[in-house]
Amino acid sequence: MNRDAIERLAIDSAAGELNEDARTLFEEYIAQHAQARQWARDISQVYQQTQTAISSRTGAASATIAAISIKSGLPALIRWRPALRWAAIVCVAALLGAGAGRWSRAPNAAMKPQREIASVNPPADVANIDLHSAAGSFWRAKAAAMFEARPYRQVNAAIQAGGLWQKYEQYIKEKHHE
Amino acid sequence: MAGDFKAEFQEFWTRTVSKVRAYMFCACQNWADADDMTQDCYLRALRGWGQFNGSASREAWLFGIARRTSVDWFRRKKAAVENLEELSRISPAEPPDEKIEKVWDAVGDLNADQNQVIYMRFAAGLSYAQIAQALEIPVGTVRSRLHRGLKDIRGRIGRSDDEP
């Protein structure tokens, strides 16, 4: 075995990372090889020096553990943990809802909401009035015209044809004489 | 439920805090800062307690957090430290023992990868497997970094011993 291999095994042995069988074999090997024994002793010494140096300062850590307190942070976090979680869930849900509402749009014009137009059906006696006949009162004819569903252009044409307009002129004249 | 968690965390804290504190001291060389970093580390562990996936040991997971905490601490400290007075404040306050001082200097001169392994092994007493899990590297890499680190320390101690 070369020096690196011996040193690695020596470090593993010092660190307690060799199993019993490997350790026995390694010890037998270095017992038989003086040079390997020297290499192993050398690196083991460095291992121990490093361990001693670090422990000499950090060993005090366990003696003063009690001085460290996590009371300031730990109980409060534990107490508020479920509440914080629920608050976060509510906030995320609200943000997602707002985002979805803000950005959602109908994908095409056909899906736009249609405006409902209420249809008004006139009573049968009103609907049956013939605007061009002389029967019925003036106001009944007006009401029938109002309920009649037809484009304005057609109404205008009907007025110009003389029926309704003549009735209205007659009404004005009668009123004037009265 | 909360009581169980609290007891579990307290038990974990009691079992591991001395190791974490020693590791933090190695990183910053100052007990006051080491205590702050330890607190920070445990608060992070507390917040991420549920995120532990069980692939490593809980202790190795904690030392992964400890390593990130120390890295963040140094990043913040680097931004805050503006002058040499501040730098001298974070050097060890105790009267130095010459032999120990040499080893500390030698460890301090190692590169960061070797440093982490040395501190986790000697200050925190972690096994190779735990170090590998904490640093997210193979066990073989832990062995080689430890070996190279100790060889470097030996070289530096030897050199300083040779100096008049």
Side-chain angles (χ1 to χ4, degrees):
Chain A
M1 281 195 280
N2 63 17
R3 181 169 185 171
D4 275 353
I6 294 292
E7 285 183 347
R8 284 188 183 210
L9 284 169
I11 293 168
D12 292 348
S13 179
E17 295 279 346
L18 280 185
N19 64 40
E20 199 58 42
D21 292 342
R23 188 180 177 132
T24 306
L25 285 172
F26 177 64
E27 285 174 356
E28 283 174 6
Y29 182 85
I30 59 173
Q32 293 166 7
H33 298 82
Q35 183 65 69
R37 190 163 58 249
Q38 182 57 41
W39 290 334
R41 191 179 296 153
D42 189 25
I43 199 73
S44 296
Q45 196 177 355
V46 177
Y47 185 97
Q48 291 303 329
Q49 282 179 333
T50 307
Q51 179 74 78
T52 304
I54 291 177
S55 299
S56 68
R57 287 196 185 155
T58 60
S62 56
T64 50
I65 290 168
I68 303 178
S69 171
I70 57 169
K71 284 178 184 171
S72 56
L74 179 58
L77 268 170
I78 288 173
R79 195 165 53 247
W80 285 101
R81 226 171 152 219
L84 287 172
R85 187 186 300 152
W86 280 109
I89 289 169
V90 168
C91 286
V92 169
L95 284 171
L96 285 175
R102 169 69 182 82
W103 295 108
S104 62
R105 285 203 175 100
N108 54 51
M111 290 186 68
K112 286 183 179 174
Q114 299 291 320
R115 178 169 294 177
E116 197 71 32
I117 300 173
S119 60
V120 179
N121 295 319
D125 55 338
V126 176
N128 291 333
I129 294 172
D130 183 3
L131 289 174
H132 299 287
S133 72
S137 71
F138 171 78
W139 290 112
R140 282 175 68 88
K142 287 285 281 182
M146 185 179 73
F147 283 116
E148 189 170 326
R150 57 184 177 180
Y152 177 72
R153 184 168 45 80
Q154 291 180 10
V155 174
N156 198 29
I159 290 170
Q160 286 176 352
L164 184 59
W165 182 245
Q166 283 175 353
K167 283 181 183 291
Y168 182 65
E169 278 186 332
Q170 185 61 35
Y171 168 76
I172 296 295
K173 283 177 186 172
E174 287 172 2
K175 271 295 204 187
H176 179 70
H177 287 300
E178 285 173 3
Chain B
M1 191 77 175
D4 291 346
F5 169 71
K6 187 177 177 181
E8 186 187 355
F9 191 84
Q10 287 281 16
E11 187 274 327
F12 179 70
W13 180 83
T14 307
R15 185 159 46 84
T16 55
V17 68
S18 62
K19 296 177 181 179
V20 173
R21 194 165 176 250
Y23 171 75
M24 294 303 192
F25 175 80
C26 289
C28 69
Q29 308 275 304
N30 176 284
W31 282 119
D33 289 335
D35 288 347
D36 288 346
M37 289 160 71
T38 304
Q39 296 263 24
D40 193 13
C41 173
Y42 277 98
L43 282 174
R44 288 184 186 200
L46 184 65
R47 291 190 195 107
W49 191 258
Q51 294 165 8
F52 174 62
N53 59 13
S55 63
S57 73
R58 188 63 98 166
E59 203 168 322
W61 171 78
L62 177 70
F63 272 89
I65 295 172
R67 184 177 64 87
R68 288 192 289 278
T69 304
S70 67
V71 168
D72 290 348
W73 185 87
F74 273 108
R75 199 173 290 142
R76 285 201 302 271
K77 197 75 179 172
K78 194 177 175 186
V81 173
E82 294 290 339
N83 52 49
L84 288 174
E85 285 178 9
E86 185 70 10
L87 281 171
S88 65
R89 193 187 68 75
I90 63 173
S91 62
E94 296 105 15
D97 178 302
E98 194 180 344
K99 212 169 184 176
I100 288 171
E101 200 63 28
K102 278 181 189 172
V103 176
W104 271 102
D105 288 346
V107 174
D109 288 342
L110 298 176
N111 67 45
D113 290 342
Q114 292 170 355
N115 253 335
Q116 293 292 331
V117 173
I118 295 277
Y119 291 153
M120 284 189 181
R121 173 65 218 163
F122 294 108
L126 299 189
S127 67
Y128 286 179
Q130 287 175 321
I131 296 171
Q133 288 163 353
L135 298 177
E136 296 174 349
I137 55 175
V139 172
T141 308
V142 174
R143 291 182 77 214
S144 60
R145 284 183 187 176
L146 184 61
H147 179 219
R148 278 203 302 272
L150 289 174
K151 276 171 71 176
D152 285 357
I153 291 169
R154 181 179 60 195
R156 288 164 206 274
I157 295 171
R159 268 207 309 276
S160 58
D161 283 346
D162 293 342
E163 286 169 5

